[in-house]
Amino acid sequence: MKLETTAITGAETPADDTTPYAALVNFYHAFNNRNLQLMTENWLNHEDASMSNPLGGVKRGWQDIASVYKKIFSGAAQVYVEYYDYTLHHSGDMFCAVGKERGYFILGNNRIDLAIRTSRIYQLHNNGWLQIHHHGSIDNPELLLRYQTAVLGATL
C-alpha cells in the first residue's frame, strides 16, 4: 500500500480515465465545481448507495444522497475540499480510498477550515468506477461543533 501525498483537487487530468485515481478526480471536480450532473455520473444511481457525513446523517439510496449535494450546490455557502494522504485498496471489481480531506466552508463572514477523515468505496460497473459509499468524520470536537452549527443553523 502506497501513501499518496499529492492532493486531488479535481483540476487534475488523469492519463487514463478508467482508473480508480480518475474516479476520485472526477468526484472532486464535480464537488468543487458544484456540478450535479457530473456528481450523478460518479455515483451508483441505486438504492444500494450510502453516505455517512460529518453532520451525523446517514443517507441511503442515490435520491437521498443527491438531495445533500443539491443543497450544497445551490446554497449560499462556498465549500471546497481536496483529498490527500490517501491509500487505495483494490480488490477485483471494487476499490476503497482511505484518506483525509482539507478545505473550507464559507458562509457570509463565517469561514471554517475543514479537516475530515474520508473513505470512499467504488464498484466497477460497465467498465467504469461508480461510488457506492462515502464516510466522513471530523475528529476535532470543536471543529465538528462549529461546522454543525454553521451548516445546520443556516440555509446552504
Side-chain angles (χ1 to χ4, degrees):
M1 154 177 44
K2 181 182 176 215
L3 180 66
E4 301 291 342
T5 57
T6 302
I8 295 175
T9 66
E12 300 79 9
T13 304
D16 182 350
D17 286 340
T18 65
T19 64
Y21 172 76
L24 292 168
V25 168
N26 290 339
F27 171 83
Y28 287 94
H29 179 80
F31 187 89
N32 289 327
N33 289 283
R34 298 177 147 205
N35 189 320
L36 188 59
Q37 179 59 41
L38 290 179
M39 187 61 72
T40 300
E41 294 170 10
N42 192 263
W43 275 88
L44 179 65
N45 190 336
H46 193 272
E47 64 186 26
D48 289 344
S50 63
M51 178 172 72
S52 301
N53 65 52
L55 299 174
V58 175
K59 301 296 182 188
R60 298 185 194 284
W62 171 244
Q63 295 308 315
D64 285 346
I65 295 167
S67 72
V68 173
Y69 292 120
K70 286 176 188 174
K71 287 179 186 174
I72 293 169
F73 295 170
S74 65
Q78 296 175 35
V79 186
Y80 170 86
V81 290
E82 59 188 36
Y83 202 46
Y84 73 106
D85 284 356
Y86 65 93
T87 54
L88 294 177
H89 309 267
H90 193 253
S91 179
D93 67 350
M94 294 184 83
F95 82 85
C96 179
V98 179
K100 303 173 190 173
E101 287 178 336
R102 63 183 169 219
Y104 55 80
F105 169 94
I106 300 173
L107 184 60
N109 293 327
N110 190 13
R111 178 187 170 115
I112 299 171
D113 291 321
L114 300 173
I116 303 170
R117 281 184 296 120
T118 300
S119 58
R120 298 184 182 283
I121 300 173
Y122 284 76
Q123 190 172 37
L124 194 59
H125 283 270
N126 300 322
N127 297 319
W129 293 106
L130 296 177
Q131 192 166 183
I132 61 168
H133 180 70
H134 158 68
H135 180 265
S137 296
I138 296 177
D139 291 332
N140 181 312
E142 290 178 18
L143 175 58
L144 178 59
L145 180 61
R146 286 183 60 219
Y147 183 58
Q148 288 174 328
T149 301
V151 174
L152 298 175
T155 302
L156 290 175

